[in-house]
Amino acid sequence: MLGLTPASALRQAYSGCASRVRLPTRAAAPVPGRLLAATCSHFSTVPLAYELHEPAKPVADKQTSPIIFMHGLFGSKKNNRTMSKVLARDLGRHVYALDLRNHGDSPHDEKHDYTVMAADVADFIHQHGLKDPTLIGHSMGAKTAMVLALDQPDLVANIVAVDNAPVDARLSSEFPRYIQAMRKIDEANTTRQAEADRILEPYEPSPTIRHFLLGNLHRPGAARGDSTLKFRLPLTTLGRSLDHLGDFPYKNPAEARFVKPALFVRGTKSKYVPDEVIPLIGQFFPRFELVDIDAGHWVISEKPEAFREAVLRFLEPKE
């Protein structure tokens, strides 16, 4: 469910792409759709923080038809910053990289599931007057995109779902370990990232993934001269949500279908989109295309150029 920082092959400045960071400014009202209408009385949406990446040469009529980019579990808008700039440049479209609830600079809330995350994004679309957006989401963000497309298909032009599928699936065992390790780091009151990394290392051997997780550290008491590092993630809320973050709220394709274009990108070394779920993808998303990339679950960071080419082929106007 993670979304790591894009690889160094694309880690460079792209001239002509401007970025603006926007923080949430107000509480929002629920945006009901078919699924959301049944539960909207039990939750409220939160205003999402975002970065706006603007192309130097916008394509005519595309300012209100942007791309909305959503990260995975424990990620944030900064993980998709480089790819967002690339897509803004190559497609001439505005790209909004979001912080989903309980991540990055977006507000924390006790409820964390795909129904409420989809409602947050729907409300974001309405707030900003966006028309026919493309939703791109990795893992947790992919399921959020799928739920919103099935729930309010008139609100979305198309989707790109990266390494996840519309099925119930148990999350990998590393996610509870990550929560446990991050709690230990919080309790240690460390002031150095290197010390936090040493605490995390027994739980995760990959330096890349450790760097990704530690990117959520900040110094909340800096203004008071306190240099203690803490995670900006609400670890209790996310830990409590792990059991159902593998779930998918739609169970019956006969009750909800998204008949507009959909691209599913999967890593061939990942287990999240096995061959046996492909027929079900086709039932929920009958106009879907499938692209396999020689990568693990972190497709965008492992093979950024292959991902970029797949998205461009899908989104560029057809002759």
Side-chain angles (χ1 to χ4, degrees):
M1 301 286 283
L2 305 178
L4 305 182
T5 305
S8 58
L10 283 176
R11 196 175 291 136
Q12 56 180 300
Y14 284 90
S15 60
C17 294
S19 302
R20 287 182 280 166
V21 178
R22 303 295 176 87
L23 301 182
T25 57
R26 65 174 179 86
V31 180
R34 287 173 294 175
L35 177 68
L36 308 186
T39 56
C40 67
S41 61
H42 304 297
F43 68 87
S44 59
T45 58
V46 302
L48 301 178
Y50 67 98
E51 287 183 351
L52 173 59
H53 303 278
E54 300 177 274
K57 299 178 180 179
V59 174
D61 300 325
K62 286 297 183 182
Q63 185 164 357
T64 55
S65 301
I67 294 169
I68 295 175
F69 215 141
M70 294 170 285
H71 58 80
L73 182 59
F74 304 140
S76 73
K77 58 185 177 296
K78 67 183 181 181
N79 302 133
N80 297 316
R81 183 177 292 154
T82 300
M83 187 58 69
S84 294
K85 292 179 179 180
V86 171
L87 295 177
R89 179 201 65 188
D90 291 349
L91 293 168
R93 296 173 65 176
H94 290 62
V95 180
Y96 291 82
L98 304 186
D99 280 337
L100 298 176
R101 63 168 53 202
N102 295 315
H103 290 74
D105 296 312
S106 285
H108 295 176
D109 190 272
E110 288 296 312
K111 193 167 182 60
H112 191 87
D113 59 33
Y114 293 114
T115 300
V116 296
M117 284 188 280
D120 290 342
V121 178
D123 194 59
F124 181 89
I125 292 169
H126 286 294
Q127 282 183 36
H128 295 273
L130 306 180
K131 181 182 178 183
D132 297 330
T134 293
L135 305 182
I136 300 179
H138 174 245
S139 203
M140 182 180 76
K143 279 193 172 177
T144 301
M146 289 182 245
V147 170
L148 180 52
L150 291 170
D151 191 70
Q152 300 190 61
D154 292 341
L155 202 60
V156 178
N158 45 46
I159 69 167
V160 178
V162 186
D163 214 52
N164 217 334
V167 295
D168 292 341
R170 182 178 295 276
L171 291 186
S172 298
S173 60
E174 64 259 26
F175 294 106
R177 293 203 310 270
Y178 295 159
I179 293 284
Q180 182 182 2
M182 288 187 280
R183 283 176 171 155
K184 289 191 68 173
I185 292 169
D186 269 355
E187 294 165 359
N189 292 322
T190 180
T191 59
R192 298 173 58 247
Q193 183 149 326
E195 183 180 345
D197 186 64
R198 284 195 293 272
I199 296 171
L200 181 58
E201 187 172 8
Y203 296 85
E204 176 48 62
S206 166
T208 303
I209 297 178
R210 295 202 307 272
H211 177 76
F212 162 73
L213 294 170
L214 295 175
N216 288 294
L217 287 170
H218 70 141
R219 302 182 193 275
R224 306 187 305 272
D226 182 358
S227 60
T228 303
L229 289 166
K230 297 289 182 181
F231 281 96
R232 63 176 74 244
L233 300 166
L235 298 177
T236 299
T237 297
L238 293 179
R240 189 170 56 243
S241 302
L242 290 180
D243 285 344
H244 56 76
L245 278 180
D247 296 345
F248 191 70
Y250 280 103
K251 311 302 181 185
N252 184 359
E255 296 177 354
R257 301 172 80 216
F258 183 71
V259 297
K260 299 176 184 178
L263 174 65
F264 281 73
V265 179
R266 67 173 177 173
T268 56
K269 299 175 183 176
S270 171
K271 64 179 183 179
Y272 281 88
V273 189
D275 289 344
E276 54 265 31
V277 308
I278 293 176
L280 183 62
I281 292 174
Q283 293 177 49
F284 277 117
F285 302 92
R287 293 181 60 189
F288 87 103
E289 301 174 31
L290 178 66
V291 171
D292 285 340
I293 293 179
D294 183 22
H297 186 52
W298 331 132
V299 178
I300 301 171
S301 64
E302 292 180 36
K303 294 295 176 69
E305 181 59 22
F307 176 78
R308 183 190 72 88
E309 291 177 356
V311 172
L312 292 186
R313 282 195 301 269
F314 177 68
L315 292 180
E316 284 180 333
K318 305 297 188 290
E319 294 296 335

